[in-house]
Amino acid sequence: MPQLPDGDPAPSDGALPGAALSRLSEGTFSLYLHVPYCSVRCGYCDFNTYTLTELGDATGASLATWVDAVEVELDLARRVLTADGRAAPVVDTVFVGGGTPSLLGATDLGRALAAVRERFAVAPDLEVTSEANPDQVDAAFARQLAAAGYTRLSVGMQSAVPHVLATLDRTHRPENVERAVSAARAAGLAVSVDLIHGTPGESVEDWRTSLEAAIALAPDHVSAYALTVEEGTALHRRVVRGELPTPDEDDQATKYELADELLGAAGYAWYELSNWARTERGRCRHNEHYWDGGHWWGVGPGAHSHVGGVRFWNVKHPRAWADRLGGGDSPAAGRELLTAEQVTEERVMLGIRRREGLSVEAVPRSGRSAVAPLIADGLLDGQAALAGQLVLTQRGRLLADLVTFRLLGL
């Protein structure tokens, strides 16, 4: 698991500087709710997750008491955000991630969303997403989720090939992906499916099989991520021991190009390096808020937040998180005030990854001299640059980190 940033100490009451709160009106506001529970930890995952047997049934650490603690943190968030008589921000999107949110069941997921609505005004077109394990989604679950106010379901498909799923330690049955997607669609939910490419032992034909299976489901949205072997994970230990090969960058590039080809032919347009949608409405607005530098409060163990240029993060362990809230304190472990340089770096890094691209004016002067060479190298679209926008070509998407580095003048 990754370590939390160092940062500065966070006040025990969670108070934020007035200057940060005053900027809330400048952008959108979202809530992220982190469910840290999994029945089995996947070998590639380095998220802040815990199996139910690891945590036991202690108050605050258990699945059964998660919503209760969420309600307490939402109360804290409202107090902090309305300090000095300020109006509470209107929530535009809610995302319940994990971990495995579907382990909670539709009833508790509904309770969590109701807790949000009780404390905050929400936008008329509120987008509410929950991630789900396909084994846990049936018609009744999907109907109840939709009735509670959820609008999207993100289904963790990862692959359609059994040996690839086994390498990833994914335990769901591939045929249940179709059941989950059909149930969600019948309930009126928009559907996203998540895929991973580059798993050791996955052939190009395996990847094609997964893509074709995903496209056959006709979801509204597809996310396709290149596997990263993170230190500290079971997969990393297997690679270090020589049991599995390190993912090959050229192989992953080939698979990215295949994804873009097949998804494009099926009517999906890329709008961020790893995300494709059938329509503009099919995009994930919640993620776009992150990429736009919006404001959000992350609720739950290890959750990160950003409000008005202040980034802060909660303690990681569910018991420590619940204990702090139960004692009347903020669960924040630390925070940092973003510098102008950090804001610029993030704007470039996130903006260049998107289909709309990045305004030339957003690039620091030290990096603007790199634009012409990047066009000459085929990494930036020359026509778009003439109109003042820096947009990656497909080749540029494969080398987005290099493009970012050059645009920042580094």
Side-chain angles (χ1 to χ4, degrees):
M1 266 180 219
Q3 298 298 310
L4 290 174
D6 292 331
D8 298 317
S12 61
D13 62 357
L16 291 170
L21 295 176
S22 67
R23 292 176 56 189
L24 273 171
S25 61
E26 296 174 6
T28 55
F29 180 75
S30 300
L31 287 168
Y32 171 77
L33 310 183
H34 185 66
V35 181
Y37 312 104
C38 289
S39 52
V40 176
R41 181 177 293 112
C42 299
Y44 64 92
C45 180
D46 75 333
F47 293 164
N48 189 41
T49 61
Y50 306 82
T51 64
L52 300 181
T53 52
E54 284 178 314
L55 293 173
D57 58 0
T59 299
S62 73
L63 191 69
T65 56
W66 177 82
V67 177
D68 298 328
V70 163
E71 290 176 339
V72 179
E73 188 171 355
L74 286 170
D75 285 334
L76 170 71
R78 182 176 173 84
R79 285 198 304 274
V80 170
L81 296 172
T82 59
D84 301 324
R86 301 173 190 273
V90 176
V91 177
D92 194 59
T93 67
V94 179
F95 196 104
V96 186
T100 313
S102 50
L103 271 178
L104 286 166
T107 298
D108 273 356
L109 286 171
R111 283 182 57 209
L113 181 55
V116 170
R117 289 179 175 274
E118 288 165 5
R119 291 159 177 81
F120 291 91
V122 300
D125 58 345
L126 177 71
E127 176 192 272
V128 188
T129 305
S130 178
E131 296 178 335
N133 182 309
D135 285 349
Q136 294 152 4
V137 179
D138 57 18
F141 175 94
R143 285 196 302 268
Q144 192 172 347
L145 211 63
Y150 284 76
T151 63
R152 296 179 79 249
L153 192 70
S154 180
V155 179
M157 177 178 176
Q158 316 312 351
S159 174
V161 179
H163 79 83
V164 175
L165 291 173
T167 301
L168 293 172
D169 293 322
R170 295 287 297 182
T171 59
H172 72 264
R173 297 171 63 87
E175 59 268 28
N176 284 344
V177 175
E178 181 177 0
R179 183 190 70 170
V181 171
S182 296
R185 183 175 294 110
L189 296 169
V191 180
S192 176
V193 297
D194 288 351
L195 298 172
I196 292 177
H197 62 82
T199 299
E202 178 192 61
S203 68
V204 173
E205 286 309 306
D206 287 335
W207 177 234
R208 180 185 294 274
T209 296
S210 295
L211 286 166
E212 291 176 343
I215 290 168
L217 298 172
D220 303 278
H221 183 281
V222 176
S223 295
Y225 301 102
L227 177 68
T228 302
V229 179
E230 302 287 357
E231 288 190 24
T233 62
L235 181 62
H236 180 260
R237 291 190 289 272
R238 294 183 69 188
V239 169
V240 169
R241 290 195 297 263
E243 297 174 15
L244 295 171
T246 301
D248 181 80
E249 291 184 1
D250 290 338
D251 174 71
Q252 289 187 328
T254 296
K255 289 171 180 174
Y256 182 89
E257 290 171 337
L258 181 60
D260 199 44
E261 175 190 340
L262 295 185
L263 289 167
Y268 293 85
W270 79 279
Y271 70 100
E272 192 273 347
L273 287 189
S274 301
N275 292 276
W276 290 258
R278 293 172 69 186
T279 65
E280 294 297 304
R281 288 180 57 83
R283 294 182 176 199
C284 178
R285 280 184 13 228
H286 185 86
N287 284 343
E288 289 188 304
H289 290 178
Y290 291 155
W291 304 329
D292 287 338
H295 313 285
W296 74 90
W297 190 294
V299 175
H304 286 234
S305 304
H306 170 258
V307 175
V310 178
R311 183 179 289 130
F312 51 102
W313 47 88
N314 287 347
V315 292
K316 292 178 64 173
H317 198 280
R319 187 172 294 111
W321 168 69
D323 285 348
R324 288 204 184 188
L325 289 167
D329 291 331
S330 164
R335 72 184 192 185
E336 63 176 338
L337 178 63
L338 299 180
T339 65
E341 183 179 11
Q342 285 175 305
V343 171
T344 296
E345 289 177 355
E346 292 190 5
R347 183 183 298 120
V348 171
M349 178 183 67
L350 296 173
I352 200 63
R353 294 173 60 91
R354 300 180 66 181
R355 188 180 74 194
E356 291 81 6
L358 179 73
S359 167
V360 173
E361 297 301 315
V363 175
R365 293 189 179 278
S366 60
R368 293 181 192 177
S369 61
V371 171
L374 287 168
I375 294 171
D377 290 342
L379 304 181
L380 289 178
D381 184 307
Q383 288 298 113
L386 288 174
Q389 287 295 111
L390 305 181
V391 178
L392 294 172
T393 62
Q394 187 190 70
R395 181 166 180 265
R397 283 187 261 162
L398 295 172
L399 297 169
D401 289 345
L402 173 63
V403 174
T404 300
F405 189 80
R406 291 186 180 176
L407 290 177
L408 289 173
L410 301 175

